[in-house]
Amino acid sequence: MPARNLSCLLVALLLTLLAGATPAAWAQVQTTALQAKESTPPSPAAPAPKGGFTLEDRAPISAEVQDTLQRINAYRAAGATCGAQRFEPAPPLAWQAQLEQAAAKHAQDMATRRSMSHTGADGSSVSERVSREAYAWARLGENVSAGYASVPAALAGWMKSPGHCSNIMTAGFAEVGVAGANAPGDNFGWYRTMVLGSPRR
């Protein structure tokens, strides 16, 4: 569903305009229905994206990444009610380096512009940004936020918003990357992006 049709988009815009430094967040979901227009499918022999790992893997990851992934998967393991929709416990997500890179670049873009949006400074959508990282996706979701000083606070804020909560709880997502960027002197301070994805098999 296009972001402009999500009620949370309008709410977040009002918060941004009226509440100054009040934390705000937007959610967006894109599926393969958009792919023909927004990315070039790989050949049938193309390998699945590399770089995903769970906490059981031995990849060297930072304490912050471990904590972020643990918190996300704890929410998924518990199940949640997102607005009027109940989500049963979902399988854990794996951390994905390409999704993290796409999230980091968009978070920095928002911090540089001091503007929270799903649209990049170059007009890009989440599908275009993820495709640039050579991630062959079947399904994508993106949460963005501004004003949350820490990752746990951002995650808690997203879980309180139906659209963002739905992204986090959707069982159809298998991988995730989260990143943030600081804008010193800005009312919001921190801009954060979460990108969720399922690779095309």
Side-chain angles (χ1 to χ4, degrees):
M1 177 181 295
R4 62 178 177 274
N5 290 338
L6 296 175
S7 60
C8 66
L9 183 66
L10 299 176
V11 172
L13 181 59
L14 289 174
L15 287 172
T16 302
L17 294 175
L18 300 177
T22 300
W26 294 359
Q28 182 177 56
V29 177
Q30 292 192 292
T31 67
T32 49
L34 300 179
Q35 186 167 343
K37 296 181 180 178
E38 301 196 9
S39 64
T40 301
S43 66
K50 304 297 183 183
F53 57 83
T54 64
L55 292 179
E56 287 69 38
D57 294 328
R58 299 185 180 276
I61 58 175
S62 69
E64 183 178 15
V65 166
Q66 291 185 46
D67 182 70
T68 300
L69 188 58
Q70 284 178 329
R71 289 175 185 274
I72 293 169
N73 285 331
Y75 282 125
R76 285 171 66 89
T81 299
C82 305
Q85 186 174 5
R86 174 64 189 173
F87 287 82
E88 296 306 316
L93 298 173
W95 195 264
Q96 218 290 328
Q98 290 151 302
L99 297 183
E100 180 185 15
Q101 187 69 5
K105 290 178 180 178
H106 188 56
Q108 184 59 60
D109 179 43
M110 291 192 295
T112 299
R113 292 184 292 145
R114 288 166 163 69
S115 176
M116 184 180 65
S117 175
H118 286 292
T119 303
D122 60 356
S124 62
S125 64
V126 60
S127 62
E128 291 169 326
R129 293 189 292 271
V130 169
S131 294
R132 288 173 189 167
E133 303 302 324
Y135 182 88
W137 57 275
R139 183 174 191 171
L140 291 174
E142 181 179 74
N143 289 349
V144 297
S145 69
Y148 292 101
S150 68
V151 173
L155 292 175
W158 281 329
M159 288 299 295
K160 292 175 183 176
S161 170
H164 311 92
C165 175
S166 295
N167 271 353
I168 292 171
M169 293 304 303
T170 294
F173 289 130
E175 299 174 325
V176 68
V178 182
N182 186 244
D186 181 66
N187 284 339
F188 283 118
W190 280 94
Y191 292 80
R192 302 185 190 277
T193 303
M194 168 188 282
V195 181
L196 304 104
S198 293
R200 190 162 51 247
R201 301 299 183 184

Coordinates of all heavy atoms in Angstrom, one line a residue, residues 6-27 114-116 144-148 157-158 160-162 164 186-188 191:
L6 N -1.5 5.6 3.9 CA -1.5 5.1 5.3 C -1.9 6.3 6.2 O -1.4 7.4 6.2 CB -0.1 4.6 5.7 CG 0.4 3.4 4.9 CD1 1.8 3.1 5.2 CD2 -0.5 2.2 5.2
S7 N -2.8 6.0 7.1 CA -3.3 7.0 8.0 C -2.2 7.5 8.9 O -2.1 8.7 9.3 CB -4.4 6.5 8.9 OG -4.0 5.3 9.7
C8 N -1.2 6.6 9.2 CA -0.1 7.0 10.1 C 0.8 8.1 9.5 O 1.4 8.9 10.1 CB 0.7 5.8 10.6 SG 1.6 5.0 9.2
L9 N 0.8 8.1 8.1 CA 1.6 9.1 7.4 C 1.0 10.5 7.7 O 1.8 11.4 8.0 CB 1.5 8.8 5.9 CG 2.3 9.7 5.0 CD1 3.8 9.5 5.2 CD2 2.0 9.4 3.6
L10 N -0.3 10.6 7.7 CA -0.9 11.9 8.0 C -0.7 12.3 9.4 O -0.4 13.5 9.7 CB -2.4 11.9 7.7 CG -2.7 11.6 6.2 CD1 -4.2 11.4 6.0 CD2 -2.2 12.6 5.3
V11 N -0.8 11.4 10.3 CA -0.6 11.7 11.8 C 0.8 12.1 12.0 O 1.0 13.1 12.7 CB -0.9 10.4 12.6 CG1 -0.6 10.7 14.1 CG2 -2.4 10.1 12.5
A12 N 1.8 11.4 11.4 CA 3.2 11.8 11.6 C 3.4 13.2 11.0 O 4.2 13.9 11.6 CB 4.1 10.7 10.9
L13 N 2.8 13.5 9.9 CA 3.1 14.8 9.3 C 2.5 15.9 10.2 O 3.2 16.9 10.4 CB 2.4 14.9 7.9 CG 2.5 16.2 7.2 CD1 4.0 16.5 6.9 CD2 1.8 16.2 5.9
L14 N 1.4 15.7 10.8 CA 0.8 16.7 11.8 C 1.7 16.8 13.0 O 2.0 17.9 13.4 CB -0.6 16.3 12.2 CG -1.7 16.4 11.1 CD1 -3.0 15.8 11.6 CD2 -1.8 17.9 10.7
L15 N 2.3 15.7 13.5 CA 3.2 15.8 14.6 C 4.4 16.5 14.2 O 4.9 17.3 15.0 CB 3.6 14.3 15.0 CG 2.5 13.5 15.8 CD1 2.9 12.1 16.0 CD2 2.2 14.2 17.1
T16 N 4.9 16.3 13.1 CA 6.1 17.0 12.6 C 5.9 18.5 12.5 O 6.7 19.3 13.0 CB 6.6 16.5 11.3 OG1 6.8 15.1 11.4 CG2 7.9 17.1 10.8
L17 N 4.8 18.9 12.0 CA 4.5 20.3 11.8 C 4.1 21.0 13.1 O 4.5 22.2 13.3 CB 3.4 20.5 10.8 CG 3.7 20.0 9.3 CD1 2.5 20.1 8.5 CD2 4.8 20.9 8.7
L18 N 3.4 20.3 14.0 CA 2.8 21.0 15.1 C 3.6 20.8 16.4 O 3.4 21.6 17.3 CB 1.4 20.5 15.3 CG 0.4 20.8 14.1 CD1 -1.0 20.2 14.4 CD2 0.3 22.3 13.8
A19 N 4.4 19.8 16.5 CA 4.9 19.4 17.8 C 6.4 19.6 17.9 O 7.0 19.2 18.9 CB 4.6 18.0 18.2
G20 N 7.0 20.3 17.0 CA 8.5 20.6 17.1 C 9.3 19.3 17.3 O 9.4 18.5 16.4
A21 N 9.8 19.1 18.5 CA 10.7 18.0 18.7 C 10.0 16.7 19.1 O 10.6 15.8 19.6 CB 11.8 18.3 19.7
T22 N 8.7 16.7 19.0 CA 8.0 15.4 19.4 C 8.4 14.3 18.5 O 8.3 14.5 17.3 CB 6.5 15.7 19.3 OG1 6.1 16.7 20.2 CG2 5.7 14.4 19.7
P23 N 8.8 13.1 19.1 CA 9.2 12.0 18.2 C 8.0 11.7 17.2 O 6.9 11.7 17.6 CB 9.5 10.9 19.2 CG 9.8 11.6 20.4 CD 9.0 12.8 20.5
A24 N 8.4 11.3 16.0 CA 7.4 11.0 15.0 C 8.0 9.8 14.2 O 9.2 9.6 14.1 CB 7.1 12.2 14.1
A25 N 7.1 9.1 13.5 CA 7.5 8.0 12.7 C 6.5 7.7 11.5 O 5.3 8.0 11.7 CB 7.6 6.7 13.6
W26 N 7.1 7.2 10.4 CA 6.3 6.8 9.3 C 6.6 5.4 8.9 O 7.7 4.9 9.1 CB 6.6 7.7 8.1 CG 6.2 9.1 8.2 CD1 5.6 9.7 9.3 CD2 6.4 10.2 7.3 NE1 5.4 11.1 9.1 CE2 5.9 11.4 7.8 CE3 6.9 10.2 6.0 CZ2 6.0 12.6 7.2 CZ3 7.0 11.4 5.3 CH2 6.5 12.6 5.9
A27 N 5.6 4.7 8.3 CA 5.8 3.3 7.9 C 5.5 3.2 6.4 O 4.6 3.9 5.9 CB 5.0 2.3 8.7
R114 N 17.5 17.2 7.5 CA 16.7 17.5 8.6 C 15.2 17.4 8.3 O 14.4 18.2 8.6 CB 17.0 18.9 9.2 CG 18.4 18.9 9.9 CD 18.9 20.3 10.1 NE 19.9 20.4 11.1 CZ 21.2 19.9 11.0 NH1 21.5 19.3 9.8 NH2 22.1 20.0 11.9
S115 N 14.9 16.3 7.6 CA 13.5 16.0 7.2 C 13.2 14.5 7.2 O 14.0 13.7 6.6 CB 13.3 16.6 5.8 OG 12.0 16.3 5.3
M116 N 12.2 14.1 7.8 CA 11.8 12.7 7.9 C 10.9 12.4 6.7 O 9.8 13.0 6.5 CB 11.1 12.4 9.2 CG 10.7 10.9 9.3 SD 9.9 10.6 10.9 CE 8.3 11.5 10.7
V144 N 10.5 4.7 9.4 CA 11.4 5.8 9.7 C 10.9 6.6 10.9 O 9.7 6.5 11.2 CB 11.6 6.8 8.5 CG1 12.2 6.0 7.3 CG2 10.2 7.4 8.1
S145 N 11.8 7.2 11.6 CA 11.5 8.0 12.8 C 12.4 9.2 12.9 O 13.5 9.2 12.4 CB 11.5 7.1 14.0 OG 12.8 6.7 14.4
A146 N 12.0 10.1 13.8 CA 12.8 11.2 14.1 C 12.5 11.6 15.5 O 11.3 11.6 15.9 CB 12.5 12.4 13.2
G147 N 13.5 11.9 16.3 CA 13.3 12.4 17.6 C 13.5 11.4 18.8 O 13.5 11.8 19.9
Y148 N 13.7 10.2 18.4 CA 13.9 9.2 19.5 C 15.4 9.1 19.7 O 16.2 8.8 18.8 CB 13.4 7.8 19.0 CG 11.9 7.8 18.9 CD1 11.2 7.8 17.7 CD2 11.1 7.6 20.1 CE1 9.9 7.8 17.6 CE2 9.7 7.6 20.0 CZ 9.1 7.7 18.8 OH 7.7 7.7 18.7
G157 N 8.4 3.2 20.2 CA 7.5 4.1 19.5 C 6.9 3.5 18.2 O 5.7 3.6 18.0
W158 N 7.7 2.7 17.5 CA 7.2 2.0 16.3 C 6.1 1.0 16.7 O 5.1 0.8 16.1 CB 8.3 1.4 15.5 CG 9.1 2.3 14.7 CD1 8.6 3.4 14.0 CD2 10.5 2.2 14.3 NE1 9.6 4.0 13.3 CE2 10.8 3.3 13.5 CE3 11.5 1.2 14.6 CZ2 12.1 3.5 12.9 CZ3 12.7 1.4 14.1 CH2 13.0 2.5 13.3
K160 N 4.1 1.1 19.1 CA 2.8 1.8 19.5 C 2.0 2.3 18.3 O 0.9 2.8 18.5 CB 3.1 3.0 20.4 CG 3.7 2.5 21.8 CD 4.1 3.7 22.6 CE 4.7 3.2 23.9 NZ 5.2 4.4 24.7
S161 N 2.6 2.3 17.1 CA 1.9 2.8 15.9 C 1.5 1.6 15.0 O 2.3 0.8 14.7 CB 2.9 3.7 15.1 OG 2.4 4.0 13.9
P162 N 0.2 1.5 14.7 CA -0.3 0.3 13.9 C 0.5 0.0 12.7 O 0.9 -1.2 12.5 CB -1.7 0.7 13.6 CG -2.1 1.6 14.7 CD -0.9 2.4 15.0
H164 N 3.7 0.8 11.8 CA 5.1 0.4 12.0 C 5.1 -1.0 12.8 O 5.9 -1.8 12.5 CB 5.7 1.4 12.9 CG 5.6 2.8 12.4 ND1 4.6 3.6 12.8 CD2 6.3 3.5 11.5 CE1 4.7 4.8 12.1 NE2 5.7 4.7 11.3
D186 N 19.7 20.0 15.5 CA 18.3 19.9 15.0 C 17.4 19.5 16.1 O 17.8 18.9 17.1 CB 18.3 18.7 14.0 CG 16.9 18.5 13.4 OD1 16.5 19.4 12.7 OD2 16.4 17.4 13.6
N187 N 16.1 20.0 16.0 CA 15.2 19.7 17.1 C 15.0 18.2 17.3 O 14.8 17.8 18.5 CB 13.8 20.4 16.8 CG 13.8 21.9 17.0 OD1 14.7 22.4 17.7 ND2 12.9 22.6 16.3
F188 N 15.0 17.4 16.3 CA 14.7 16.0 16.4 C 16.0 15.3 16.8 O 15.9 14.2 17.4 CB 14.2 15.4 15.1 CG 12.7 15.7 14.9 CD1 12.4 16.5 13.8 CD2 11.8 15.3 15.7 CE1 11.0 16.8 13.5 CE2 10.4 15.5 15.5 CZ 10.1 16.3 14.4
Y191 N 17.7 10.6 13.5 CA 16.8 10.1 12.5 C 17.1 8.6 12.3 O 18.3 8.3 12.2 CB 17.0 10.8 11.2 CG 16.5 12.3 11.2 CD1 17.3 13.3 11.8 CD2 15.3 12.6 10.7 CE1 16.9 14.6 11.9 CE2 14.8 14.0 10.8 CZ 15.6 14.9 11.4 OH 15.2 16.2 11.5

